[in-house]
Amino acid sequence: MSLFGTTSGFGTSGTSMFGSTTTDNHNPMKDIEVTSSPDDSIGCLSFSPPTLPGNFLIAGSWANDVRCWEVQDSGQTIPKAQQMHTGPVLDVCWSDDGSKVFTASCDKTAKMWDLSSNQAIQIAQHDAPVKTIHWIKAPNYSCVMTGSWDKTLKFWDTRSSNPMMVLQLPERCYCADVIYPMAVVATAERGLIVYQLENQPSEFRRIESPLKHQHRCVAIFKDKQNKPTGFALGSIEGRVAIHYINPPNPAKDNFTFKCHRSNGTNTSAPQDIYAVNGIAFHPVHGTLATVGSDGRFSFWDKDARTKLKTSEQLDQPISACCFNHNGNIFAYASSYDWSKGHEFYNPQKKNYIFLRNAAEELKPRNKK
Amino acid sequence: MAICQFFLQGRCRFGDRCWNEHPGARGAGGGRQQPQQQLSGNNRRGWNTTSQRYSNVIQPSSFSKSAPWGGSRDQEKPSFGSFDSGASTNRNEGFGLPENPFASLSPEEQKDEKKLLEGIVKDMEVWESSGQWIFSVYSPVKKKPNISGFTDISPEELRLEYHNFLTSNNLQSYVNSVQRLINQWRNRVNELKSLNISTKVALLSDVKDRVNQAAPAFGFGSSQAATFVSPGFPVNNSSNDNAQNFSFKTNSGFATASSGSPAVLGSSPAFGAAASVSSAISTSAPAFGFGKPEITSAASFSFKSPADSSFGSPGFSGLTTSLATGPISAPVAPAFGGGSSVAGSGSPGSHSHTAFSKPSNDTFGNSSISTSFSAPSSIIATDNVLFTPRDKLTVQELEQFQSKKFTLGKIPLKPPPLELLNI
């Protein structure tokens, strides 16, 4: 077990250097801050699956590291371990039994991190940075799915260095999500493909994008019978599309909504439009959370088509989010997502991960 | 009473209860919105209206909706009415033509296109003012293909580039490349906002024909060394080229009336006569507006025929007449087969659009078209492509050309022979 090398202060709100008493806005929601947060932007967050007792949070950052914390019920976070890549880590995921963590990085590889032994081995190789990584557990096979900017989707049995399968994508993979037996991949140039994973992964349908701009994040949601039935797709234009795979009435069931914009009601001044950096569905309620470059998170009920809550604005964009397995904890990372280019990048600025109690706020609104 | 703007767009929340006037008294749009309004005390901004708006664009709209668009489109109106029957019934009935490239645009489609173009302009304005991520592709209506000229770069990719250049101590080149990309984006946005003819044509062809741009190998990347291959923009898209130098690349659908693209002409002889005629004429009157003289010649031009047509493949007829009124914009696919005759009914005056389908806006007049006019000579040169030599026509076709009117089902696909044209 290695503790994290650098120490980081606890950053409680306090007076600024100039003596004014305004609190700095890094945690306006007064959520729990995770200790020893990464030193550079956090690209991905993932909580442990239900098979593991307790809650463990994994975060990958642009400082090339992946960190693991144990989150206790009291809210205390204990740093547990860390692994390094040779490039920024873009995505992380857990295996279904909670024993391994898979990490995807800009160094064109993906690694499998065995938590008990704290060893990480490379399990995948691409020709370009690996943007997404997901664990697939099917009745007759298990594998890791990696999506990369080299326009391929590869499936890896962790024991072999050759992929089990390689699927071509029309363009660079930007985001993906998997809930067996469905997988969705959103690519550059507004590409959108759904795969079905039974027996072996195969392309199910290419969908014309319901959004007009670049795809940024995608998350699959389930129906009342706990089967994946559609997905939410976020773009850089402050908009999320809810899309069902086989809806009874596509024109009515599929819709888009605007989010992460300023000046909502006032149409005279031009709105500021922010990218949707992450979407996560509450595992129990089915409501969703979106986080954006504006530094806010919002909770939505897609069935009632209403917004449940919007947070206060943080001083940095929120770059990633996720729920724990029972939906009690909502974690979101406050760090720079490059939405305004390199000029606004401040390497000295602290990056945070916040934990919020999500049991109450995400209850669906009752339809009238 | 004031006219309800929301109702005109089909999304009035109040429906019958609305205090403003609903012309046509169709409260259909109103009812739908209400349930959502009552939910959630919070802001309902943004939910769902967008999808409705899009659906309005995609589905053909009934004529009653044409009212709000009256403004600048007056000259087309009457023709809409008169045309429509001709055009739509014949549209794609084929006459045995496997693909009627002229899929004549009915007035509804024309309106859609106009909306499309307006939507694009608005989107560009929003994009610029909103501070959203600029390295993104864009499509005017969801489910349509992307418009060329925009590259997709995700923030992570850009950031990775930054890190790479940082390690090689070459930040300046990163900054330069980014600046270049930004400039390209800005140029493209301005182009789209100003919507001159060539961009319109290119846009419409993009949207219609799913021109896929070559994936912008953006050359970021693997090599450290600085030079960014500038992505996207010059990556050739024939449509882009059109924007820049109006070169007649084959862009299906390009065929701007004036001279269409000779390339296009070349490939599909059909375009034929009309084009040459117009181009000849147009040299004198670059402003697309194609003043009087054209009209007369045009009238006679249309392949003999005549007066009415019920002629479906519209396409061309429009060329001729109505040119004066201008809404010509990008006519559609070439292949117009002999057809041209004056589709739609009667008076030449009404013909205007058809062929031209995609009417676009009056800005059409100003033109970059003037630049293109270099072509005409080349067009005429390719006579054998524009006109079929008499001996190549079948008897039936010859007969058709010689008759006063084309008969349905027998309309020749090749252009008429030069000799038969009275200009």
Side-chain angles (χ1 to χ4, degrees):
Chain A
M1 258 211 287
S2 57
L3 291 178
F4 301 140
T6 55
T7 54
S8 36
F10 284 77
T12 46
S13 58
T15 57
S16 70
M17 299 243 285
F18 301 100
S20 65
T21 49
T22 51
T23 56
D24 65 322
N25 224 7
H26 77 277
N27 188 9
M29 303 303 289
K30 309 278 187 279
D31 288 328
I32 300 169
E33 228 175 272
V34 166
T35 57
S36 300
S37 49
D39 302 319
D40 207 340
S41 302
I42 292 130
C44 44
L45 289 172
S46 185
F47 266 106
S48 53
T51 42
L52 212 54
N55 288 304
F56 291 83
L57 175 65
I58 296 276
S61 84
W62 279 75
N64 303 359
D65 63 359
V66 191
R67 298 188 178 187
C68 176
W69 295 261
E70 177 180 356
V71 179
Q72 294 177 331
D73 294 337
S74 60
Q76 210 185 352
T77 54
I78 307 169
K80 287 287 200 194
Q82 169 177 319
Q83 281 291 332
M84 301 295 295
H85 265 270
T86 47
V89 178
L90 297 181
D91 200 10
V92 290
C93 76
W94 289 81
S95 63
D96 61 307
D97 59 359
S99 62
K100 318 249 188 311
V101 169
F102 299 98
T103 60
S105 160
C106 289
D107 60 9
K108 310 179 192 171
T109 69
K111 291 191 179 173
M112 175 171 77
W113 178 10
D114 183 336
L115 293 166
S116 42
S117 65
N118 202 14
Q119 298 292 327
I121 56 172
Q122 178 181 342
I123 51 151
Q125 180 69 47
H126 273 270
D127 302 323
V130 187
K131 181 68 170 62
T132 66
I133 189 163
H134 290 87
W135 172 252
I136 300 177
K137 174 97 176 105
N140 55 335
Y141 71 96
S142 326
C143 66
V144 175
M145 178 179 94
T146 53
S148 158
W149 289 341
D150 66 358
K151 308 186 192 177
T152 61
L153 199 60
K154 294 189 182 173
F155 298 83
W156 307 85
D157 177 336
T158 56
R159 296 160 298 199
S160 155
S161 61
N162 287 328
M164 289 163 43
M165 179 184 259
V166 176
L167 292 176
Q168 283 298 323
L169 295 172
E171 251 287 353
R172 298 154 279 163
C173 171
Y174 275 174
C175 48
D177 194 14
V178 169
I179 294 188
Y180 185 80
M182 176 169 132
V184 176
V185 174
T187 69
E189 310 283 327
R190 294 170 62 243
L192 193 52
I193 314 166
V194 178
Y195 295 87
Q196 69 85 22
L197 304 170
E198 281 184 65
N199 256 337
Q200 65 170 18
S202 60
E203 198 177 297
F204 173 68
R205 192 187 293 172
R206 293 213 172 177
I207 300 182
E208 296 202 328
S209 170
L211 297 172
K212 306 204 285 190
H213 284 86
Q214 182 181 116
H215 296 158
R216 185 108 177 94
C217 50
V218 70
I220 295 178
F221 57 82
K222 300 186 281 197
D223 59 13
K224 303 267 189 323
Q225 288 80 37
N226 235 15
K227 297 210 169 321
T229 179
F231 57 88
L233 179 67
S235 79
I236 50 114
E237 185 231 354
R239 201 184 288 267
V240 172
I242 301 283
H243 191 94
Y244 288 83
I245 299 292
N246 279 322
N249 187 348
K252 275 183 44 178
D253 294 337
N254 297 335
F255 63 95
T256 69
F257 62 92
K258 294 192 267 208
C259 51
H260 300 292
R261 297 175 175 214
S262 62
N263 299 346
T265 45
N266 176 13
T267 45
S268 58
Q271 267 187 341
D272 294 322
I273 297 181
Y274 298 92
V276 181
N277 284 331
I279 305 180
F281 278 90
H282 192 275
V284 172
H285 297 309
T287 47
L288 72 147
T290 62
V291 292
S293 293
D294 54 351
R296 292 182 198 264
F297 60 83
S298 296
F299 300 142
W300 311 80
D301 180 344
K302 70 176 199 322
D303 301 312
R305 302 199 183 183
T306 75
K307 184 190 302 203
L308 300 171
K309 181 188 178 70
T310 298
S311 74
E312 295 300 318
Q313 185 167 24
L314 275 70
D315 57 353
Q316 284 188 100
I318 303 183
S319 48
C321 67
C322 89
F323 284 101
N324 76 330
H325 65 87
N326 57 12
N328 287 342
I329 312 179
F330 174 61
Y332 58 100
S334 163
S335 55
Y336 186 53
D337 59 355
W338 218 253
S339 47
K340 295 207 177 321
H342 68 279
E343 295 95 341
F344 287 78
Y345 175 46
N346 179 0
Q348 314 304 326
K349 199 150 170 51
K350 262 196 64 125
N351 304 283
Y352 300 94
I353 302 178
F354 295 112
L355 304 176
R356 186 176 182 80
N357 185 323
E360 285 306 311
E361 288 173 330
L362 276 116
K363 287 214 171 122
R365 192 63 49 87
N366 294 329
K367 274 201 178 147
K368 303 215 168 91
Chain B
M1 286 219 293
I3 304 238
C4 176
Q5 290 302 316
F6 293 104
F7 173 75
L8 294 180
Q9 295 170 33
R11 52 191 190 99
C12 176
R13 299 199 288 265
F14 302 99
D16 291 339
R17 308 177 311 169
C18 184
W19 295 340
N20 296 319
E21 171 153 328
H22 288 182
R26 283 181 26 219
R32 251 176 309 163
Q33 292 279 17
Q34 287 165 0
Q36 289 162 16
Q37 192 190 355
Q38 286 145 13
L39 291 171
S40 111
N42 271 338
N43 359 19
R44 34 165 181 25
R45 56 182 178 216
W47 280 82
N48 210 30
T49 52
T50 50
S51 58
Q52 283 177 331
R53 201 174 339 138
Y54 293 147
S55 60
N56 278 343
V57 173
I58 295 173
Q59 295 154 11
S61 42
S62 66
F63 275 7
S64 60
K65 288 241 177 98
S66 60
W69 303 106
S72 55
R73 295 283 134 216
D74 289 335
Q75 56 266 52
E76 292 171 7
K77 284 293 196 44
S79 24
F80 279 5
S82 53
F83 218 119
D84 186 44
S85 46
S88 45
T89 48
N90 291 321
R91 186 193 348 175
N92 297 335
E93 267 173 17
F95 300 117
L97 304 181
E99 325 127 348
N100 186 351
F102 261 117
S104 70
L105 285 198
S106 69
E108 296 158 357
E109 290 179 17
Q110 287 166 330
K111 220 180 336 161
D112 283 345
E113 282 188 16
K114 212 185 329 149
K115 267 201 221 173
L116 196 70
L117 293 166
E118 285 167 10
I120 293 179
V121 174
K122 206 155 38 122
D123 282 343
M124 291 298 123
E125 284 165 11
V126 168
W127 198 346
E128 274 190 317
S129 63
S130 62
Q132 67 185 59
W133 183 250
I134 65 180
F135 301 122
S136 158
V137 288
Y138 166 73
S139 151
V141 179
K142 39 183 191 180
K143 306 199 193 261
K144 290 270 174 84
N146 300 334
I147 286 192
S148 57
F150 290 114
T151 51
D152 224 2
I153 307 178
S154 69
E156 287 79 28
E157 288 170 302
L158 198 64
R159 182 173 188 166
L160 187 62
E161 280 311 306
Y162 173 83
H163 281 270
N164 290 342
F165 280 101
L166 192 62
T167 49
S168 66
N169 268 334
N170 212 351
L171 264 188
Q172 195 49 46
S173 44
Y174 167 81
V175 172
N176 292 342
S177 317
V178 173
Q179 197 51 47
R180 214 175 314 156
L181 282 173
I182 295 179
N183 292 339
Q184 279 170 0
W185 172 79
R186 197 156 284 140
N187 290 341
R188 183 65 175 145
V189 170
N190 287 336
E191 216 180 72
L192 286 173
K193 283 208 299 193
S194 56
L195 275 189
N196 58 17
I197 311 150
S198 51
T199 48
K200 261 188 269 226
V201 161
L203 275 182
L204 292 167
S205 69
D206 270 353
V207 168
K208 295 251 156 185
D209 305 328
R210 311 191 68 105
V211 170
N212 284 328
Q213 58 193 93
F218 43 126
F220 238 146
S222 32
S223 61
Q224 302 246 3
T227 50
F228 245 55
V229 169
S230 17
F233 218 38
V235 160
N236 321 311
N237 237 343
S238 47
S239 46
N240 267 343
D241 288 348
N242 282 333
Q244 285 154 18
N245 51 1
F246 221 76
S247 63
F248 298 110
K249 294 268 177 94
T250 335
N251 218 349
S252 39
F254 187 61
T256 356
S258 47
S259 28
S261 0
V264 165
L265 290 181
S267 51
S268 40
F271 207 76
S276 61
V277 169
S278 52
S279 56
I281 293 174
S282 45
T283 33
S284 55
F288 224 58
F290 278 155
K292 285 284 164 114
E294 280 98 2
I295 295 189
T296 48
S297 51
S300 59
F301 166 75
S302 49
F303 291 142
K304 286 254 159 158
S305 27
D308 32 343
S309 26
S310 53
F311 206 98
S313 37
F316 238 37
S317 51
L319 214 218
T320 57
T321 48
S322 95
L323 290 185
T325 50
I328 290 172
S329 59
V332 182
F336 92 135
S340 79
S341 55
V342 224
S345 40
S347 59
S350 56
H351 290 154
S352 35
H353 40 263
T354 1
F356 276 77
S357 13
K358 316 199 198 189
S360 74
N361 309 340
D362 306 302
T363 50
F364 203 66
N366 28 336
S367 39
S368 36
I369 287 218
S370 36
T371 53
S372 54
F373 284 81
S374 50
S377 47
S378 57
I379 295 181
I380 303 209
T382 55
D383 267 358
N384 51 345
V385 164
L386 292 180
F387 307 107
T388 11
R390 206 164 173 135
D391 43 11
K392 296 244 176 74
L393 287 176
T394 67
V395 171
Q396 224 187 16
E397 289 173 332
L398 198 50
E399 214 178 83
Q400 284 289 311
F401 284 133
Q402 285 175 334
S403 64
K404 273 193 100 184
K405 284 208 271 185
F406 282 118
T407 23
L408 265 183
K410 294 203 187 131
I411 301 160
L413 283 175
K414 304 196 200 107
L418 188 48
E419 309 81 47
L420 287 182
L421 292 181
N422 321 327
I423 296 182

